[in-house]
């Protein structure tokens, strides 16, 4: 079973890939309940002629024929794909022959290909390039998807076959990857409710359907609310502090919205908004910040307060039904963390130190305000602004000095790709002959060190209203030797489109994100497994961020930096003095960064460690109490996401899993140490990382692959030192 299909079936796919994660591919949709019986389906009979999803794409690597795909193709392809998958599942379950690994488990891996094709493209494009018709279809399909999931996993005969195989697993003499696949299937079925009574299965189905609809509603609300909350500014004078290019972009954004002689500042996903760092007008900063934090909680049609509460309650009820103390306990069991105790312990231990650091940083910022006779107390909307001033005075540079050295094409081709070439020997060639779904999207073919063509890479870098916020990776085609498929991997960023004729100059954060997402891409590209179920980034959530975070290290690696960080006008290499400053500034503002992240992670855990009876009636009051109780209620540093726009956890696949970034960072920090100890950027190191870790996907215990790579158990110290939580 392909990862994408599995995500759909297990209902764990993100309806909003607001995160960085590969497993954050969306999967908001799937077809109808009983094969051959639904209205949706009948309506579309005979409409499949010419539907590009009926067979694998004929393009290289089965790259999707984006130019052939129309809105009208999705619904009939989903119906038919689900019908076919349903029939395949019934045939496997009702097979008269005794169950074998081949006729049951492998047969399931092979089933559902059409459904997989359409859902992969649909979910990717609802995230990257959506339209109202797709949004409607997405809502319509969400509960049907959940029903289809239940139809597979609550099929008693099918589970019987898998159970029999599982019980006899010692005698089957399977190779390690196959044995793991059988165990995985068994676990997936049990976790999906296969052992419940018929009555409880009915309850579960109803919960799953409601959860699917609400999750989709939540993330659609976030997207619409974020677009609707853009700040309209009347005069250029108010925009003091922004660059001419930024002002031009704001004017352009206003024009696009049909506003004459105005300026529009669009919001990004996170609580903090980029322009808070440069706007000198404090009132406007406050307006911007308040528009951001009030998203989804000030009434109106996109309000998410009740949606969040309902999601928390239904998840708690489902966990109870499945025999778990709460939703987090259910989710974490399948992660490398395993228990809520382990996660609470880590978050609880780090929070006080992080908040202390943030308080110390706040005191420094207050000193600047006082020295300038500001006459006010530092507020959340002042943080980035005075932090920039402090950065300037401490390290004597600011982001605007760096940006001319970070031109997008340079960053990607001479930075991100260059590092990968140095480490793994792979090379890149742009393909302009393949269709794209948006003119700004680029496609590259990737060749392995021996010169053999190995994959396609889609670079979708620009922000637009039709795209979810954040950055993420997804696989259009996953590597599998069972299918003989090679990867087609996409990276998505949200870099503001510059005014026509202007170069795309990145902030250093955006540069780092480009490296990060490509780390996920490498995980997909280097996958070398048999079963699609284990391909690439199909690993636990709290492990998936590890390779991507490791890849960030190359953004500031001197040899890489000198290759890509060249002034866009005269190709001058970034001065060493600036490089030193970037490196020195790495630990700067870590109290803030760690606190806002921990606050969001703790919030996530609080919402998902509730029993049904404990679910609150007032979402914002609950949030405030949870932050206070966890000791992270420090007003100048609000959580990175507040509950009502926290799509990671309410819209999709990171529920009870937002801690995963920091958890993965333990392994990341260890691995960065390893690369440094072993000579850094070279083929030997890259090949070892690829062989021991990146190629394995989920085909073995991820912590075992880490130990094989690193040669020992992970220690937390490198992370604590990096985050300024422990002295070097
Ligand atoms: Zn990521």
């Amino acid at each position: 079973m392909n990862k994408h299909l599995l995500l759909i079936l297990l209902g764990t796919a993100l309806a909003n890939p607001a995160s960085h994660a590969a497993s954050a591919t969306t999967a908001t949709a799937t077809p109808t309940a009983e094969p051959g019986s639904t209205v949706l389906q009948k309506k579309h009979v005979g409409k499949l002629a010419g539907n590009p999803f009926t067979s694998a794409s004929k393009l290289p690597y089965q790259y999707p024929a984006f130019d052939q795909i129309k809105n009208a193709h999705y619904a009939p392809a989903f119906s038919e794909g689900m019908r076919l998958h349903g029939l395949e599942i019934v045939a496997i379950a009702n097979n008269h022959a005794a169950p074998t690994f081949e006729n049951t488990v492998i047969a399931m891996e092979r089933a559902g290909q059409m459904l997989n094709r359409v859902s992969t493209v649909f979910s990717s494009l609802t995230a990257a390039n959506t339209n109202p018709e797709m949004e409607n279809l997405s809502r319509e399909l969400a509960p049907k998807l959940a029903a289809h999931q239940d139809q597979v996993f609550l099929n008693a005969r099918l589970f019987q076959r898998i159970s029999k195989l599982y019980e006899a697993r010692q005698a089957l003499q399977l190779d390690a990857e196959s044995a793991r696949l059988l165990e995985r299937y068994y676990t997936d079925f049990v976790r999906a409710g296969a052992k419940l009574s018929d009555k409880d299965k009915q309850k579960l189905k109803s919960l799953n359907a409601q959860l699917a609809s609400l999750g989709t509603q939540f993330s659609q609300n976030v997207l619409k609310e974020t677009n609707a909350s853009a700040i309209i500014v009347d005069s250029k004078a108010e925009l003091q502090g922004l660059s001419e290019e930024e002002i031009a972009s704001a004017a352009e954004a206003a024009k696009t919205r049909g506003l004459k002689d105005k300026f529009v500042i669009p919001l990004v996903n996170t609580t903090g908004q980029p322009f808070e760092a440069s706007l000198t007008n404090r009132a406007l900063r406050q307006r911007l910040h308040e528009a951001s934090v009030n998203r989804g909680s000030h009434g109106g049609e996109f309000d998410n307060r009740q949606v969040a509460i309902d999601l928390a309650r239904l998840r708690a009820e489902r966990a109870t039904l499945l025999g778990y103390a709460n939703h987090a306990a259910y989710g974490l069991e399948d992660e490398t963390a395993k228990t809520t105790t382990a996660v609470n312990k880590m978050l609880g231990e780090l929070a006080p130190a992080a908040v202390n650091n943030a308080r110390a940083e706040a005191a420094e910022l207050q000193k600047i305000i006082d020295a300038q006779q500001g006459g006010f107390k530092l507020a959340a909307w002042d943080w980035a602004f005075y932090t920039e001033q402090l950065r300037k005075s401490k390290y004597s540079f600011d982001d605007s000095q760096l940006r001319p050295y970070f031109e997008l094409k340079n960053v990607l081709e001479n930075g991100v790709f260059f590092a990968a070439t140095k480490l793994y020997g792979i090379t890149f060639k742009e393909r302009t002959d393949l269709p794209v779904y948006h003119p700004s999207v680029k496609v590259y073919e990737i060749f392995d060190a021996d010169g053999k063509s190995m994959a396609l890479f889609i670079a979708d870098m620009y922000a637009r209203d039709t795209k979810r916020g954040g950055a993420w990776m997804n696989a259009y085609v996953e590597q599998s030797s069972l299918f003989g498929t090679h990867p087609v991997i996409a990276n998505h960023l949200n870099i503001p489109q510059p005014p026509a004729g202007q170069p795309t100059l990145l902030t250093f954060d955006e540069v780092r994100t480009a490296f990060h997402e490509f780390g996920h891409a490498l995980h997909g590209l280097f996958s070398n497994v048999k079963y699609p179920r284990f391909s690439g980034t199909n690993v636990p959530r709290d492990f998936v961020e590890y390779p991507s975070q490791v890849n960030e290290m190359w953004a500031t690696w001197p040899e890489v930096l000198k290759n890509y960080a060249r002034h866009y006008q005269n190709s001058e290499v970034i001065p060493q003095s600036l490089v030193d400053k970037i490196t020195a500034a790495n630990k700067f503002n870590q109290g803030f960064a760690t606190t806002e992240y921990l606050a969001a992670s703790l919030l996530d855990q609080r919402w998902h460690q509730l029993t049904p009876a404990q679910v609150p009636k007032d979402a914002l009051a609950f949030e405030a109490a949870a932050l206070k109780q966890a000791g992270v209620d420090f007003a100048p540093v609000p959580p990175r996401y507040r509950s009502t726009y926290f799509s990671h956890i309410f819209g999709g696949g990171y529920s009870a899993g937002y801690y995963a970034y920091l958890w993965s960072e333990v392994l990341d920090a260890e691995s960065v140490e390893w690369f440094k100890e072993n000579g850094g950027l070279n083929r030997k190191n890259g090949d070892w990382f690829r062989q021991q870790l990146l190629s394995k996907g989920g085909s073995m215990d991820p912590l075992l692959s880490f130990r094989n790579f690193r040669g020992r158990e992970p220690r937390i110290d490198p992370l604590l030192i990096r985050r300024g939580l422990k002295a070097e």
Side-chain angles (χ1 to χ4, degrees):
M1 195 181 300
N2 214 299
K3 180 185 87 190
H4 210 89
L5 188 52
L6 186 101
L7 285 171
I8 289 177
L9 292 179
L10 295 180
T12 54
L14 261 191
N16 180 351
S19 73
H20 295 292
S23 48
T25 40
T26 40
T28 37
T30 279
T32 51
E34 295 302 314
S37 72
T38 67
V39 180
L40 182 70
Q41 202 174 293
K42 279 180 190 146
K43 207 169 75 186
H44 298 296
V45 167
K47 279 192 182 173
L48 285 164
N51 191 308
F53 295 115
T54 52
S55 58
S57 164
K58 300 282 186 298
L59 294 174
Y61 294 89
Q62 302 182 17
Y63 176 94
F66 290 115
D67 54 342
Q68 309 290 314
I69 299 167
K70 307 273 177 287
N71 278 346
H73 291 138
Y74 292 119
F78 268 113
S79 295
E80 180 65 3
M82 213 238 4
R83 189 182 71 87
L84 293 175
H85 188 227
L87 291 176
E88 286 169 313
I89 292 298
V90 168
I92 297 167
N94 297 354
N95 192 342
H96 291 299
T100 63
F101 184 70
E102 188 70 37
N103 75 16
T104 304
V105 177
I106 300 246
M108 283 197 69
E109 280 290 280
R110 291 186 186 279
Q113 299 213 21
M114 181 170 172
L115 181 55
N116 181 57
R117 278 193 295 272
V118 62
S119 61
T120 301
V121 171
F122 182 76
S123 58
S124 299
L125 292 187
T126 47
N129 200 34
T130 193
N131 59 53
E133 222 176 305
M134 290 173 79
E135 294 288 294
N136 287 339
L137 183 60
S138 185
R139 270 197 306 277
E140 194 186 315
L141 287 172
K144 291 169 183 163
L145 139 87
H148 184 64
Q149 163 200 335
D150 291 337
Q151 190 199 341
V152 175
F153 283 100
L154 301 181
N155 182 319
R157 281 189 176 174
L158 185 55
F159 181 58
Q160 250 174 29
R161 292 179 75 86
I162 290 181
S163 289
K164 269 193 188 151
L165 288 169
Y166 178 75
E167 277 149 27
R169 63 193 181 283
Q170 306 296 351
L172 296 178
Q173 295 188 315
L174 300 171
D175 62 84
E177 188 177 341
S178 300
R180 188 169 167 85
L181 185 68
L182 173 55
E183 270 173 41
R184 196 56 254 183
Y185 265 85
Y186 179 78
T187 309
D188 287 345
F189 270 80
V190 172
R191 286 175 53 77
K195 286 182 166 174
L196 294 181
S197 71
D198 285 346
K199 199 175 141 220
D200 283 347
K201 279 182 183 170
Q202 288 311 317
K203 267 194 220 161
L204 182 64
K205 284 181 187 175
S206 156
L207 289 170
N208 284 340
Q210 295 174 68
L211 281 164
S213 295
L214 283 170
T216 308
Q217 193 190 338
F218 187 94
S219 47
Q220 292 193 351
N221 280 348
V222 172
L223 178 65
K224 288 174 185 161
E225 174 85 341
T226 299
N227 285 335
S229 306
I231 294 288
I232 300 166
V233 178
D234 292 330
S235 71
K236 192 176 165 181
E238 288 175 81
L239 296 176
Q240 201 193 357
L242 302 191
S243 69
E244 281 306 317
E245 290 79 25
E246 287 165 343
I247 293 172
S249 287
E252 192 92 1
K255 235 185 259 164
T256 318
R257 282 161 205 248
L259 297 166
K260 254 186 104 182
D261 302 326
K262 305 256 183 214
F263 304 86
V264 164
I265 304 177
L267 297 190
V268 301
N269 262 12
T270 47
T271 294
Q273 298 296 318
F275 286 168
E276 287 171 14
S278 41
L279 285 168
T280 58
N281 184 322
R282 185 166 192 247
L284 183 57
R285 286 204 306 269
Q286 180 173 0
R287 227 178 107 204
L288 182 59
H289 188 85
E290 283 172 352
S292 177
V293 295
N294 290 330
R295 275 177 289 166
S297 61
H298 58 91
E301 57 173 325
F302 310 132
D303 197 304
N304 262 337
R305 282 175 294 185
Q306 192 58 41
V307 187
I309 288 168
D310 291 343
L311 278 163
R313 192 190 64 251
L314 293 168
R315 282 175 180 162
E317 286 174 10
R318 183 172 63 180
T320 308
L321 191 63
L322 290 168
Y324 293 84
N326 52 59
H327 178 72
Y330 170 70
L332 293 171
E333 180 193 61
D334 218 23
E335 302 293 330
T336 69
K338 300 287 178 221
T339 63
T340 50
T341 314
V343 172
N344 292 344
K345 182 169 178 283
M346 183 189 72
L347 298 178
E349 280 174 8
L350 299 184
V355 176
N356 272 344
N357 287 359
R359 284 185 193 282
E361 288 166 9
E364 278 203 77
L365 301 179
Q366 188 66 53
K367 269 188 217 157
I368 303 179
I369 295 171
D370 295 345
Q372 296 172 3
Q373 279 151 16
F376 56 84
K377 209 170 148 228
L378 176 79
W381 47 90
D382 301 316
W383 192 286
F385 185 73
Y386 291 97
T387 293
E388 267 315 293
Q389 296 197 3
L390 186 61
R391 193 203 307 272
K392 273 180 223 170
S393 71
K394 249 191 167 161
Y395 305 104
S396 63
F397 79 100
D398 63 76
D399 253 0
S400 66
Q401 270 174 285
L402 294 175
R403 290 178 67 156
Y405 295 98
F406 298 148
E407 189 274 322
L408 175 60
K409 195 170 151 73
N410 256 335
V411 169
L412 188 65
E413 296 183 1
N414 301 324
V416 175
F417 292 173
F418 172 78
T421 303
K422 286 282 170 186
L423 286 163
Y424 311 108
I426 58 173
T427 52
F428 301 79
K429 193 174 164 224
E430 192 176 346
R431 291 277 302 245
T432 50
D433 57 321
L434 293 168
V436 289
Y437 53 85
H438 189 274
S440 67
V441 172
K442 286 192 191 304
V443 185
Y444 295 87
E445 184 167 359
I446 302 183
F447 301 87
D448 211 340
D450 60 5
K452 260 198 212 139
S453 175
M454 65 174 290
L456 291 174
F457 174 68
I458 298 171
D460 175 7
M461 310 307 264
Y462 287 104
R464 47 185 173 265
D465 280 357
T466 58
K467 193 177 188 177
R468 305 264 198 260
W472 68 97
M473 164 275 204
N474 70 283
Y476 279 98
V477 179
E478 288 186 308
Q479 180 276 333
S480 152
S481 66
L482 182 69
F483 288 155
T485 48
H486 298 279
V488 177
I489 306 286
N491 274 176
H492 305 271
L493 268 68
N494 262 289
I495 297 164
Q497 184 87 46
Q502 297 290 315
T504 307
L505 303 178
L506 275 54
T507 64
F508 184 64
D509 252 6
E510 288 164 341
V511 171
R512 204 198 321 252
T513 302
F515 277 87
H516 176 99
E517 294 309 326
F518 200 72
H520 287 307
L522 290 168
H523 208 180
L525 295 168
F526 290 149
S527 175
N528 185 16
V529 299
K530 183 171 183 186
Y531 302 112
R533 176 67 179 81
F534 294 140
S535 191
T537 53
N538 198 4
V539 296
R541 241 172 2 193
D542 63 4
F543 189 77
V544 78
E545 293 303 326
Y546 153 48
S548 53
Q549 290 177 353
V550 170
N551 205 54
E552 292 177 28
M553 75 179 285
W554 309 115
T556 47
W557 195 260
E559 191 183 346
V560 180
L561 199 62
K562 278 178 188 141
N563 198 61
Y564 78 85
R566 287 165 174 271
H567 200 285
Y568 76 99
Q569 281 165 325
N570 55 21
S571 294
E572 213 170 85
V573 176
I574 190 167
Q576 186 58 41
S577 57
L578 258 185
V579 176
D580 293 343
K581 285 170 187 169
I582 299 174
T583 321
N586 257 348
K587 273 185 204 160
F588 182 65
N589 205 32
Q590 276 298 310
F592 174 89
T594 309
T595 300
E596 69 155 6
Y597 168 81
L598 284 173
S601 303
L602 284 157
L603 208 47
D604 171 29
Q605 290 301 322
R606 297 285 157 146
W607 274 110
H608 292 119
Q609 291 184 18
L610 297 170
T611 64
Q614 291 168 335
V615 174
K617 289 201 169 54
D618 181 336
L620 295 190
F622 173 77
E623 178 181 293
L627 294 174
K628 186 158 195 232
Q629 211 183 352
V632 288
D633 59 332
F634 181 43
V637 188
R640 189 168 167 81
Y641 300 94
R642 294 189 72 195
S643 305
T644 50
Y645 51 89
F646 203 167
S647 289
H648 288 79
I649 67 159
F650 286 121
Y654 271 64
S655 62
Y658 196 66
Y659 76 97
Y661 293 90
L662 202 62
W663 195 270
S664 297
E665 203 180 321
V666 174
L667 305 183
D668 157 34
E670 274 278 40
S671 304
V672 168
E673 295 286 293
W674 179 88
F675 272 104
K676 286 180 178 167
E677 285 164 16
N678 288 279
L681 187 80
N682 62 48
R683 278 294 302 282
K684 193 170 147 273
N685 289 347
D687 287 349
W688 180 249
F689 192 50
R690 173 177 177 174
Q691 185 196 354
Q692 297 300 328
L693 208 121
L694 296 173
S695 69
K696 301 295 183 191
S699 70
M700 63 190 287
D701 177 350
L703 290 180
L704 181 61
S705 58
F706 173 82
R707 283 196 291 273
N708 291 344
F709 159 69
R710 184 65 175 100
R712 58 168 160 77
E713 298 286 328
R715 301 165 315 166
I716 198 173
D717 288 30
L719 165 84
L720 298 180
I721 292 165
R722 174 199 285 192
R723 290 254 173 189
L725 299 172
K726 191 182 167 182
E728 262 175 272

